[in-house]
């Protein structure tokens, strides 16, 4: 979990749902190549930070599989960062309209055999929606949603093995994973890609539905250049395993991008502690929170997206916020990006133009 929430203002509005977060970046042992997303070019004039940047992984699948020994997997640390301030509430702060302008993007979730639809939130469903701010263990494995969510292992270029959380998202290539930008790349001054990516869906106590290597990653200019939490968004594309695509084995979660509203969400991840208490827990188990989102802004007029009461901490980064969930399948509307050390607020960027740019580029690979 990236713990950094400077000058956060919460916009207390009517609540109808919720969201999550995810991320970017990779560099292989032998190097990487980068290109700017053509989809992002149109948005660059008004919001250069929303442009997508990509890297092709040149490590072989065999090299990555050999790297992740049982010992290294066990010793991987839950990703963390410091420099946190407490959140403050506000009722008058306005977000930039860049969030909900232009194109929207909606996709249905899938089972391993094909797409399915989920019902939109109703007034009755919103009223009855469970509010669970304290992280609980999700015990139903082998089926959605656990089948589509997993741990993402990687090595930082500066050293050390780490883990985040990530989700299989519906895509044309049937191989796309959605996570937080800081789970694939050290943004800002460090500006270094991670290495040795390994995604293990439906992970529980060291077991998973396969170990999937990665050949391509993407994030935003805003994250790479400035480590801007409003653009803490990333995607990875996995290699086939045993001749099968990831989505054909796990199914996938749908998505709703660039729709400016509040949501009721289930938030999933693999945290190694609880916040703000700092209580240590096992990160080998999938956990969840649920409840309504509120709007949040980092600084005057600067969007970050959403806030949710949830005690999941380090390691939950990149886990999905699922809205309109039915039989374990829903739509990604946010990701775990940052968490306050002063209270139980989890934060997600708004998945708007930047998310669409990253997604479109990833889905095409």
């Amino acid at each position: 979990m990236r713990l950094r929430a400077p000058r956060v203002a919460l916009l207390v509005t009517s609540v109808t749902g919720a969201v999550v977060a995810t991320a970017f970046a990779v560099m292989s042992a032998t190097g990487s190549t980068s290109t700017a997303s053509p989809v992002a070019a149109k948005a660059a004039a008004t919001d250069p930070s929303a442009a997508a940047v990509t890297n092709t992984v040149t490590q072989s699948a065999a090299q990555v599989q050999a790297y992740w020994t049982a010992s290294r997997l066990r010793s991987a640390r839950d990703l963390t960062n410091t420099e946190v301030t407490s959140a403050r509430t506000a009722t008058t702060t306005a977000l930039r309209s860049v969030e909900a302008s232009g194109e929207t993007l909606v996709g249905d979730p899938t089972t391993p055999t094909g797409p399915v639809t989920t019902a939109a939130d109703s007034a009755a469903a919103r009223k009855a929606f469970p509010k669970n701010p304290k992280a609980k263990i999700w015990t139903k494995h082998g089926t959605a949603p656990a089948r589509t969510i997993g741990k993402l292992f990687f090595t930082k270029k500066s050293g050390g093995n780490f883990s985040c959380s990530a989700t299989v998202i519906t895509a044309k290539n049937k191989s796309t994973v959605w996570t937080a930008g800081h789970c694939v790349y050290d943004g800002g001054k460090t500006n270094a890609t991670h290495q040795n990516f390994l995604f293990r869906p439906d992970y529980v106590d060291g077991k998973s539905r396969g170990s999937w290597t990665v050949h391509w990653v993407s994030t935003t200019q805003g994250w790479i250049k400035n480590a801007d939490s409003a653009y803490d968004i990333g995607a990875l594309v996995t290699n086939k395993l045993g001749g099968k695509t990831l989505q054909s084995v796990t199914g996938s979660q749908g998505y709703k991008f660039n729709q400016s509203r509040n949501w009721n969400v289930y938030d999933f991840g693999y945290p190694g502690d609880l916040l703000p208490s700092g209580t240590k827990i096992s990160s080998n188990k999938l956990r969840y929170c649920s409840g309504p989102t509120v709007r949040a802004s980092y600084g005057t007029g600067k969007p970050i997206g959403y806030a949710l009461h949830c005690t999941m901490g380090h390691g939950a980064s990149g886990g999905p916020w699922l809205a309109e969930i039915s039989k374990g399948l829903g739509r990604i509307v946010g990701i775990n990006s940052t968490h306050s050390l002063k209270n139980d607020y989890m934060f997600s960027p708004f998945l708007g133009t930047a998310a669409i740019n990253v997604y479109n580029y990833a889905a095409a690979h």
Side-chain angles (χ1 to χ4, degrees):
M1 178 58 56
R2 183 173 180 268
L3 300 175
R4 187 178 182 184
R7 300 185 303 280
V8 179
L10 299 179
L11 309 185
V12 183
T13 60
S14 60
V15 176
T16 58
V19 293
V20 248
T22 107
F24 154 81
V26 72
M27 181 174 176
S28 70
T30 57
S32 63
T33 59
S34 298
T35 58
S37 167
V39 179
K42 294 172 66 176
T46 56
D47 187 8
S49 294
V53 177
T54 71
N55 277 273
T56 300
V57 179
T58 56
Q59 285 171 294
S60 71
Q63 286 175 316
V64 174
Q65 295 283 14
Y67 177 83
W68 285 108
T69 62
S71 175
R72 283 174 173 156
L73 288 168
R74 286 194 302 269
S75 65
R77 291 172 285 170
D78 307 312
L79 187 60
T80 181
N81 201 354
T82 55
E83 192 179 344
V84 168
T85 60
S86 62
R88 59 183 176 86
T89 59
T91 57
T92 57
T93 304
L95 297 182
R96 293 186 305 198
S97 61
V98 65
E99 298 176 354
S101 61
E103 177 187 9
T104 61
L105 204 62
V106 178
D108 290 330
T110 71
T111 66
T113 57
V116 297
T117 58
T118 59
D121 289 340
S122 66
R126 289 194 295 271
K127 186 176 181 180
F129 197 83
K131 296 178 178 61
N132 296 311
K134 295 183 179 180
K136 297 182 178 180
I137 295 175
W138 187 269
T139 58
K140 298 178 182 178
H141 285 268
T143 187
R147 188 173 59 204
T148 66
I149 303 166
K151 292 191 76 169
L152 177 65
F153 294 90
F154 54 90
T155 304
K156 282 200 171 191
K157 191 175 181 181
S158 58
N161 298 319
F162 294 87
S163 69
C164 274
S165 304
T167 318
V168 184
I169 188 172
T170 302
K172 183 178 180 180
N173 60 20
K174 296 185 177 181
S175 301
T176 300
V177 177
W178 199 248
T179 188
H182 67 274
C183 294
V184 290
Y185 200 97
D186 281 330
K189 294 180 180 180
T190 305
N191 195 11
T193 55
H194 305 334
Q195 305 175 27
N196 297 315
F197 285 104
L198 190 72
F199 178 60
R200 299 190 64 183
D202 205 5
Y203 187 91
V204 58
D205 293 331
K207 299 178 181 179
S208 64
R209 195 171 290 266
S211 297
W212 301 77
T213 58
V214 170
H215 68 84
W216 188 91
V217 298
S218 180
T219 191
T220 65
Q221 286 282 5
W223 177 254
I224 288 180
K225 291 186 175 181
N226 303 314
D228 189 336
S229 295
Y231 301 92
D232 187 15
I233 300 166
L236 308 93
V237 180
T238 59
N239 296 304
K240 288 184 177 180
L241 184 63
K244 296 181 179 181
T245 61
L246 175 62
Q247 190 174 314
S248 69
V249 172
T250 63
S252 62
Q253 297 294 339
Y255 50 88
K256 278 194 171 182
F257 293 161
N258 212 29
Q259 299 197 13
S260 186
R261 54 167 290 187
N262 279 308
W263 307 87
N264 281 326
V265 298
Y266 279 90
D267 176 10
F268 293 92
Y270 288 89
D273 59 11
L274 302 176
L275 294 176
S277 69
T279 303
K280 299 297 182 182
I281 57 176
S282 171
S283 63
N284 287 328
K285 298 182 185 297
L286 180 63
R287 298 176 194 263
Y288 75 100
C289 300
S290 62
T293 63
V294 294
R295 306 310 302 271
S297 176
Y298 279 49
T300 304
K302 183 176 181 180
I304 181 64
Y306 296 99
L308 173 71
H309 289 290
C310 182
T311 59
M312 289 195 293
H314 305 87
S317 287
W321 294 12
L322 300 179
E324 301 176 357
I325 193 167
S326 175
K327 296 181 179 179
L329 294 170
R331 292 182 171 87
I332 298 171
V333 293
I335 53 172
N336 295 324
S337 173
T338 65
H339 198 293
S340 174
L341 288 179
K342 304 296 184 180
N343 54 45
D344 67 356
Y345 271 119
M346 176 83 78
F347 299 97
S348 168
F350 179 82
L351 301 186
T353 302
I356 292 174
N357 290 338
V358 171
Y359 174 84
N360 282 341
Y361 216 115
H365 280 72

